[in-house]
Amino acid sequence: MAERLRPFRLRGCGSPRKFGVAAGSLRGLLRKGCRLLELPLAGSRLCLYEDGTELTESYFRALPPQTELVLLGPGETWRGCAGDIERFLAAFCSQGDAVVAAARRLLSDERAPRRQKLLSDLIHNLSENILAEDKEEDKNWFEGLESRFKNKSSYMRHSCESRIRSYMKEVSSFMPNVHPTARDAYKRIIELMSDKLKAVKYNGCYFDRREESAAARLCTTEGWFSCQGPFDSAECLCKHSINPYSNRESRILFSTWNLDHIIEKKRAVVPELAEAVKTRDGREVNWEYFYQLLFTVDNLKLVHIACHKKTNHHLSCDKTKIYRKRKENHTIS
């Protein structure tokens, strides 16, 4: 009685190209595969693409149709689909175009939804012109933005400035909570902070990859940003990273990331500033210390929204830095 033929997807160990092969037995499939891929029958064997499990006749008969298999020649090994990922990563540094081409070939014959999504994301990310800066070089990136933005850094700088301006507004809006006798002094500190922010363009250089400054702690020249994690951990355990310069989707997604105050702005820094002004008793408030906590990376961490710890951080200002040890230029009377 003739064996019932079942279809399988077959590929060689070092090639992403797949072939449809039908066979009713392991031996028959092995014979057809060796003929197709020009491998010697002696010493060759078949294994699962997914995890590298070598096939036996009984295992073969239990496989569903269209299972993806790898044909190994003498001396070849296969550790599963993770091997493809390792090759992709190894090739990425020097052969980005080749990785995209290989991923497209795989995607054209891929049926598993999860692998389709991974391949699509890989192609999408690697195909974008990350280093493009001007609008003419990457028009899709600017879709939906105001026409006044002519390059990527100008928009990213504007986005950062907007965040810093919002922090300044929060400090100013706290004025009604300040003791009446201290409001003039508090207002003067606000003016000093505002003047300093204007002088440094609201720290927009933190997100401008063209700027050479201390802001390099936040990103590299290629524009990659890494999540610095919750305030009480050394780093983000999920290894979140993003390059908002790469494509429009990444730019939009990056807007959900947060600048998280380690010593909290609303719960600690601003109330402590108001209290310091109220109880200064002739001392000079060290407003530049509060400025650092509110507006600089000394107290700000860039975090993925999932890593933004919004509960009480239980951290407070350094009491030894609230007042200046000696009189300097800016005196609050």
Side-chain angles (χ1 to χ4, degrees), residues 156-314:
M156 295 299 294
R157 186 169 59 249
H158 166 77
S159 180
C160 179
E161 289 175 6
S162 297
R163 296 192 192 194
I164 299 299
R165 286 175 187 272
S166 70
Y167 299 157
M168 188 70 249
K169 287 181 181 178
E170 289 184 54
V171 179
S172 300
S173 65
F174 196 80
M175 180 79 73
N177 300 308
V178 178
H179 192 276
T181 61
R183 285 177 185 171
D184 287 343
Y186 186 86
K187 182 180 179 182
R188 178 57 181 153
I189 286 178
I190 290 176
E191 291 171 351
L192 292 171
M193 288 182 174
S194 180
D195 288 344
K196 185 165 185 176
L197 283 174
K198 290 176 183 177
V200 295
K201 300 179 181 178
Y202 290 88
N203 291 328
C205 59
Y206 286 165
F207 289 86
D208 189 337
R209 60 179 172 178
R210 301 175 305 172
E211 290 280 348
E212 294 293 335
S213 68
R217 284 181 287 175
L218 278 182
C219 64
T220 67
T221 55
E222 288 78 20
W224 283 99
F225 293 82
S226 296
C227 177
Q228 299 178 28
F231 78 97
D232 54 357
S233 63
E235 61 180 339
C236 166
L237 298 179
C238 297
K239 305 296 182 183
H240 291 121
S241 64
I242 193 171
N243 191 327
Y245 298 90
S246 64
N247 54 62
R248 177 174 176 267
E249 182 178 343
S250 294
R251 166 179 63 80
I252 295 173
L253 183 61
F254 186 63
S255 66
T256 67
W257 284 47
N258 297 131
L259 278 173
D260 187 19
H261 287 85
I262 306 170
I263 302 175
E264 294 172 281
K265 175 177 77 271
K266 290 182 179 180
R267 291 191 178 105
V269 182
V270 177
E272 187 69 60
L273 172 60
E275 182 64 21
V277 174
K278 174 188 172 184
T279 60
R280 65 191 187 282
D281 192 24
R283 294 172 291 181
E284 184 180 0
V285 176
N286 186 5
W287 65 271
E288 290 181 320
Y289 168 64
F290 290 99
Y291 174 94
Q292 291 174 342
L293 295 182
L294 290 167
F295 307 116
T296 77
V297 291
D298 288 352
N299 191 47
L300 284 168
K301 283 191 175 182
L302 184 64
V303 293
H304 185 281
I305 189 171
C307 290
H308 189 184
K309 184 174 181 179
K310 295 186 178 180
T311 56
N312 197 323
H313 293 185
H314 299 291

Side-chain angles (χ1 to χ4, degrees), residues 24-44:
S25 67
L26 178 62
R27 183 69 178 176
L29 182 60
L30 186 61
R31 188 182 300 111
K32 288 183 178 181
C34 287
R35 189 182 310 123
L36 183 65
L37 298 180
E38 299 181 346
L39 290 173
L41 183 61
S44 294

Side-chain angles (χ1 to χ4, degrees), residues 84-95 99:
D84 274 346
I85 298 174
E86 291 178 358
R87 280 191 291 276
F88 280 169
L89 292 175
F92 171 70
C93 294
S94 59
Q95 302 182 42
V99 173

